[in-house]
Amino acid sequence: MITNKSLALKSILFSGIFSVMILSCGKQVSGVSEADPWKKMELIVKSIPETHFANKTYNINDFGAVGDGKTMNTMAFEKAIKECAAKGGGRVLVPNGKYLTGPIHLESNVNLHLEDQAEILFSTNSKDYPLLHTSWEGTELMNHSPLIYAKNKTNVAITGKGTLNGQANNANWWYWCGSKRYGWEKGKPSQHDPLNRDNLVEMAEKGVPVAERIFGEGHYLRPNFIEFFECNTVLVKDITVINAPFWILHPLKSNNVIIDGVTVNSHGPNNDGCDPEYSQNVIIRNCTFNTGDDCIAIKSGRDADGRRVGIPSKNIVVQNCKMIDGHGGVVMGSEITAGVNNVYVENCVMDSPELDRAIRIKTNSKRGGTTEDIFVRNIEVGTVKECVLRVTMFYDIYGSQVGNYIPAIKNISLENVKVKNGGKFGILADGYQQSPIENITFKNVTIAKVDSVYSLKNVKKVNFINTYINGKKMESIKN
């Protein structure tokens, strides 16, 4: 039987081995290893332990579930998961059918497995989602439970080729964002009402304890879809996720996470496909993202709350993914205060007239933090709307975002990248004079068509190696 203790010891062992391997990779020079960074990525991948479950199955139908799309099955899921965990773990099976439910809370050593024609329909009644410790746009609070939630669990999974349907649309959940595009009308409540989003941000700035940041019912802050909070050794594999209220896959303060073969198709507001936040040793591979916001957005907290937590997101690996619609293919930010480093993106395809950028880093002087060592290779880009690479220290959603925490961004490398239509810019980058963006490298990059090669403000050292944009070989910029 796999126990929490044995998995924890295994994780510590892996971490120790990993640290020794990284030290052996070579000396650090200006933040970048002398060794091949992609070998470091291979060590990260090898260091991440996989989930293992007892060979026992607990069918939710045996606990009273009815797959008619109408019967509420919240208690059936809860009973099956608790019995599975109590008896040493195993697989909680969701058979073919449509199962309506409130939130599902996972336990250690439990694999929630959906058969191919199984669909879990999540209630659209906000009162079905109890108040608990979660996070909203990079700030911790007490809010509606995520639709699927695990906190302080080890060895936990969601697998199978079935569908998770949040049932969000303009009539429920989405209009809470306060946008007419998503069904909001004058007179309706939204997250922008004075006691809601702005109040949460102010509480965090004042250092109000998380337990006293009570929101939930009547505050219109939409719940995350799948959140693993302070978990270790996590797998999400093969499922399809549609119609999400808010962020979709959200590993929060979690380590050793594998997201494999997942399809996300959800075009609502803030429908980021995957948001690793304060998380380390994460693999996202073989996935398809078709989203209403960023396909993948790597985060590490907002402003004062990010500084309070202080855990950078690092060792994030993205492989063999397809990005369709979205604000960005692979993005860092904007909730990025504790920093992001060691991000590896390879063998991906990004292509849609509704995909704004391929690679994006967004921060500002309220966030601060350091973003560094971002490596991208073997990427095919068909069409993007704005640019191939977008890097900004002046991200300004929700009004003025000017503060006293000047961010740092350095060491971004794109290699073996082919772009058919790069939109408006090959590179669009703007930094602070006192903190310029440093060391952007394009190696073996071809952008067949783009309106402008680049627009750079306070950027130091852009290396073009065997790179052709609009048919012209580019020369490096050393300023």
Side-chain angles (χ1 to χ4, degrees), residues 418-422 445-450 468-472:
K418 294 182 180 179
V419 182
K420 291 181 180 179
N421 186 348
V445 174
T446 301
I447 304 175
K449 178 185 176 183
V450 69
Y468 292 81
I469 301 179
N470 289 337
K472 180 181 177 181

Side-chain angles (χ1 to χ4, degrees), residues 140-387:
E140 290 182 56
L141 78 169
M142 307 303 292
N143 194 28
H144 293 293
S145 170
L147 279 57
I148 298 181
Y149 181 74
K151 189 171 190 291
N152 298 123
K153 307 303 179 186
T154 299
N155 193 47
V156 61
I158 307 168
T159 64
K161 296 184 178 181
T163 299
L164 302 175
N165 185 349
Q167 301 199 100
N169 55 40
N170 285 9
N172 63 79
W173 295 128
W174 287 353
Y175 79 84
W176 290 14
C177 76
S179 169
K180 290 182 179 179
R181 176 183 175 187
Y182 294 107
W184 179 84
E185 298 174 353
K186 188 174 181 179
K188 282 187 174 183
S190 83
Q191 67 189 40
H192 298 301
D193 295 341
L195 294 178
N196 302 340
R197 180 199 170 276
D198 289 348
N199 188 30
L200 172 62
V201 172
E202 185 177 354
M203 282 183 169
E205 290 301 311
K206 291 180 177 178
V208 174
V210 173
E212 297 175 20
R213 303 175 193 173
I214 299 173
F215 287 80
E217 194 65 22
H219 289 278
Y220 301 95
L221 302 181
R222 289 159 287 148
N224 294 277
F225 203 134
I226 302 169
E227 184 172 276
F228 295 96
F229 192 158
E230 295 178 339
C231 292
N232 196 328
T233 314
V234 173
L235 174 67
V236 183
K237 184 172 174 60
D238 293 338
I239 59 168
T240 294
V241 185
I242 62 175
N243 304 329
F246 191 66
W247 292 0
I248 296 169
L249 293 156
H250 186 210
L252 177 65
K253 297 182 182 177
S254 289
N255 294 325
N256 302 319
V257 177
I258 299 175
I259 297 169
D260 188 358
V262 172
T263 297
V264 172
N265 190 358
S266 191
H267 282 75
N270 310 101
N271 274 200
D272 298 5
C274 185
D275 298 272
E277 184 169 19
Y278 302 129
S279 291
Q280 302 180 0
N281 300 332
V282 178
I283 303 174
I284 306 165
R285 63 190 179 203
N286 308 318
C287 295
T288 298
F289 296 98
N290 193 7
T291 67
D293 208 307
D294 296 320
C295 294
I296 296 171
I298 301 163
K299 300 177 181 291
S300 60
R302 172 190 290 271
D303 304 351
D305 219 44
R307 286 181 277 277
R308 175 184 66 83
V309 175
I311 302 172
S313 284
K314 66 181 182 180
N315 301 339
I316 314 292
V317 178
V318 180
Q319 298 173 313
N320 307 309
C321 289
K322 182 177 182 180
M323 290 76 172
I324 307 174
D325 293 357
H327 291 177
V330 177
V331 177
M332 286 119 271
S334 69
E335 297 83 7
I336 198 169
T337 296
V340 170
N341 63 80
N342 293 348
V343 175
Y344 305 87
V345 182
E346 65 173 356
N347 305 325
C348 293
V349 175
M350 305 180 185
D351 184 15
S352 172
E354 298 304 319
L355 179 63
D356 292 333
R357 308 118 185 139
I359 306 296
R360 184 186 191 192
I361 300 172
K362 49 180 176 175
T363 185
N364 56 51
S365 58
K366 281 190 173 180
R367 304 285 189 274
T370 297
T371 304
E372 62 183 339
D373 298 346
I374 313 300
F375 303 100
V376 181
R377 71 176 180 182
N378 304 336
I379 304 297
E380 291 188 11
V381 179
T383 296
V384 288
K385 186 182 294 186
E386 184 186 54
C387 54

Side-chain angles (χ1 to χ4, degrees), residues 116-155:
D116 293 4
Q117 301 303 314
E119 183 174 8
I120 300 178
L121 305 170
F122 287 91
S123 170
T124 58
N125 183 354
S126 60
K127 293 179 180 178
D128 288 336
Y129 296 86
L131 201 70
L132 50 70
H133 187 177
T134 179
S135 177
W136 197 86
E137 284 196 341
T139 303
E140 290 182 56
L141 78 169
M142 307 303 292
N143 194 28
H144 293 293
S145 170
L147 279 57
I148 298 181
Y149 181 74
K151 189 171 190 291
N152 298 123
K153 307 303 179 186
T154 299
N155 193 47

